Amino acid sequence: MRECLESRYAGVSLPPVIVEQPPKVELGDFAIPIFPFAKPLRSAPLKIAETIRNEIGPIDGIAEMQVAPPGYLNVRIDRAWMAAALAADQKPATEIPTGKILVEHTSINPNKAAHIGHLRNAILGDTFVRLLHYAGREVDVQNYIDNTGVQVADVVVGFTHIEKKSREEIEALTRQPRFDYYCWDLYACVSQWYAEDKQNLQARRDTLHALEIGGNETAEIAELIAIAVLRRHLETMDRLDIEYDFLPRESEILHLHFWDAAFTKLKEAGVLTFENDGKNKGCWVMRRAGTSSTTEDTEAAKEASDRISEEDQKVIVRSNGTVGYVGKDIAYHMWKFGLLGRDFGYRKFYRYPNQHDCWISAMEGENDHPHFGDVAEIYNVIDARQSEAQSTVIEALRGLGHNEAADHYTHFSYEMVALTPRCAAELGYTISEEDKTRSYIEVSGRKGFGVKADDLLDQLIASARKEVDSRHPQVPGGERGEIATQVAIGALRYFMLKYTKPSVIAFDFKDALSFEGETGPYAQYAVVRATSIFRKAGLDPDTFTFNAVKQIGTQALAQYLNGADANEIWELWLAASKTSQVVSQCIATTEPAYLAKHAFQLAQLFNAFYHRHPILSEPDEGRKQFLLATAAVVRRELIRSLAVMGITVPTVM
């Protein structure tokens, strides 16, 4: 369509083509609003629509185009043509962009057990990686480890100043199965210790300084703690089938002098300025993201624009010479884009059950390692509270003249996870009468209030196991355990994905595990139902579809799919055809919730189809084959959609 208009109206700047879904398939399979073209083409929408319909000519797979008031072009697909293509698993040819994409997600401080909020980050990030893989992109998955920050320092303080443990005692504790749980409780104790006497905060400052310098016993203790907790984090995420390729650590960014290299470039480019007076005297600062200098062209104006007002200053290097989080992040992202001129050492750190190796940064590493960094695009999965810091990194890249890199840097922002009062009570927390009236209760790691990720998974699996045991007592115990795990993981991942990223999630066990409504188990159950049809028929659904549709023939397909009585089944085929389109939409908008909605709607349509059409007892053999093909196509697309969300389907539910 766009090519048609561009050839007819050469030189006119045209808006993008928008494709909408009509409220009913009777109106068409999709609709294109023509209103945006009326002003640039200086013509009425209906007239433009008529022109397009008359000039565009026949298109394979399109049965009809209709002009509809007040200005739509409604398009009907050749139903038999599309059904045959979908059954054969044919996808439209698309050009896959070159260049590797880096997705950074999870990034938990290695100071205590992972909690429910970290799970939202990891599930969003892992699902986005799966979306990119589905689209044929090459992806590096990184998990940034802040092993020299204040959170790790606080746990070191807890061990050395409160519990007064030696290095050897701490090392022995790190070998305990759930050392991260020990650190969870200790971290909350440290926060209370600071509150009791503000002078205790000097221990934090001294510890932080020792960590940044490195090469001392305090830094060695921090390394022991961080490595042990990090291994637990990887084990926790592996339960959800979440893997990483590389773990860059802040300690190497510091000690391999990434910041020094970036600092020199930032000063030379004038991105950083030194403050000689005011509240930030002695600091290196840059202009805060979202503020702008004057656009006047006078010498006085230009000189004034070089001076950043105090309220617009973002401190990058403190007056004591220590670099803040954002400064290290700028250096790290310059490395990501291959703009720093330095690299990490690499060594193998963790091997997954599938034999995939996860690498970690090191001062000196192994010679034979994958190539990391130097990527074309970056997606950082970080919550909305980090928006300013992320914007500052982007502005630093622009200030250095790397506009293309800045344009391909995306902050994949999301909101927090809380608990419903019912969920908090089920987890053993004391809930006040006031708390019971709230829609959600915020968690706090410093106060020790929250849901550890492993506890959540354990409880979800236990709840699912009760349901599976009651429904399928004849299934062997080990298999029931596997089924319960698949249901629990499916419930959790779907629950985290069905809400759009700007939504605050109030997690609830009962809602997540329900077999009804918009849940993971509901979508899984639709696949189990479809699979049971083929098991009873003695057919393999994965090999049945294409051959069956070929045998049915185009004429019979058209008969089964056309007419008012066929619209319900056609809607199911049409929905099943949209998986690739929805994946593209999710990537373009960085919003996986669209895929969750797609899976749910497909499951809904299938369940309605399942109840209306007793497939195996259908007397007309040709129609029976068609109904089986319908079930097989929907099953395939549901499995694919769920797999991209990291959800597998059990044998029974």
Side-chain angles (χ1 to χ4, degrees), residues 125 140 162 569:
D140 266 355
I162 297 177
I569 293 180

Side-chain angles (χ1 to χ4, degrees), residues 545-566:
T545 316
F546 180 49
N547 291 331
V549 168
K550 281 176 65 178
Q551 290 171 9
I552 291 168
T554 305
Q555 188 173 352
L557 267 180
Q559 176 189 335
Y560 296 137
L561 287 167
N562 287 294
D565 294 341

Side-chain angles (χ1 to χ4, degrees), residues 204-445:
R204 171 194 277 177
R205 290 188 284 270
D206 293 342
T207 301
L208 270 173
H209 184 63
L211 298 191
E212 289 204 5
I213 293 172
N216 52 66
E217 186 175 49
T218 300
E220 290 173 1
I221 290 172
E223 173 80 350
L224 281 173
I225 294 167
I227 287 292
V229 173
L230 175 57
R231 286 191 183 278
R232 283 291 303 118
H233 290 168
L234 297 187
E235 290 165 0
T236 298
M237 295 306 164
D238 193 27
R239 296 179 71 183
L240 291 158
D241 197 23
I242 295 174
E243 298 181 353
Y244 311 94
D245 298 314
F246 178 48
L247 309 172
R249 296 189 297 176
E250 188 164 296
S251 54
E252 276 71 52
I253 289 176
L254 287 170
H255 301 142
L256 290 169
H257 305 292
F258 277 29
W259 166 245
D260 293 342
F263 193 23
T264 299
K265 293 176 185 289
L266 290 163
K267 287 187 290 186
E268 289 175 351
V271 176
L272 296 184
T273 58
F274 186 77
E275 283 299 296
N276 291 301
D277 49 39
K279 68 176 182 179
N280 293 326
K281 181 179 179 180
C283 299
W284 286 91
V285 302
M286 66 175 282
R287 185 174 295 281
R288 190 178 296 276
T291 65
S292 58
S293 58
T294 180
T295 56
E296 294 180 39
D297 203 24
T298 65
E299 284 298 320
K302 287 181 178 179
E303 184 178 342
S305 72
D306 291 336
R307 298 192 300 271
I308 309 170
S309 64
E310 284 192 358
E311 60 269 21
D312 291 343
Q313 291 175 4
K314 176 69 177 177
V315 174
I316 304 300
V317 182
R318 305 180 189 95
S319 58
N320 63 2
T322 59
V323 58
Y325 163 76
V326 174
K328 288 175 278 192
D329 213 27
I330 292 169
Y332 172 43
H333 283 86
M334 290 172 69
W335 168 82
K336 284 183 177 181
F337 279 118
L339 304 172
L340 193 63
R342 293 180 185 245
D343 200 2
F344 294 102
Y346 301 91
R347 59 182 174 84
K348 291 176 184 174
F349 180 73
Y350 188 88
R351 175 162 285 185
Y352 293 98
N354 64 3
Q355 303 306 301
H356 173 68
D357 285 318
C358 177
W359 295 72
I360 196 167
S361 62
M363 295 297 292
E364 294 181 3
E366 302 172 31
N367 292 326
D368 187 17
H369 62 81
H371 178 69
F372 297 109
D374 193 20
V375 298
E377 299 176 59
I378 292 172
Y379 291 88
N380 285 341
V381 185
I382 305 176
D383 72 48
R385 292 169 294 183
Q386 298 297 320
S387 293
E388 183 184 346
Q390 290 289 293
S391 296
T392 301
V393 176
I394 292 172
E395 289 307 307
L397 290 170
R398 293 198 188 283
L400 289 165
H402 302 304
N403 287 316
E404 185 176 356
D407 290 341
H408 290 91
Y409 181 127
T410 301
H411 175 199
F412 194 112
S413 175
Y414 66 94
E415 274 294 348
M416 69 174 182
V417 181
L419 306 176
T420 63
R422 178 173 64 187
C423 182
E426 287 175 356
L427 287 162
Y429 291 105
T430 302
I431 305 300
S432 68
E433 289 302 315
E434 183 184 353
D435 286 337
K436 291 177 183 177
T437 65
R438 295 178 180 175
S439 56
Y440 63 83
I441 301 173
E442 292 187 37
V443 299
S444 171

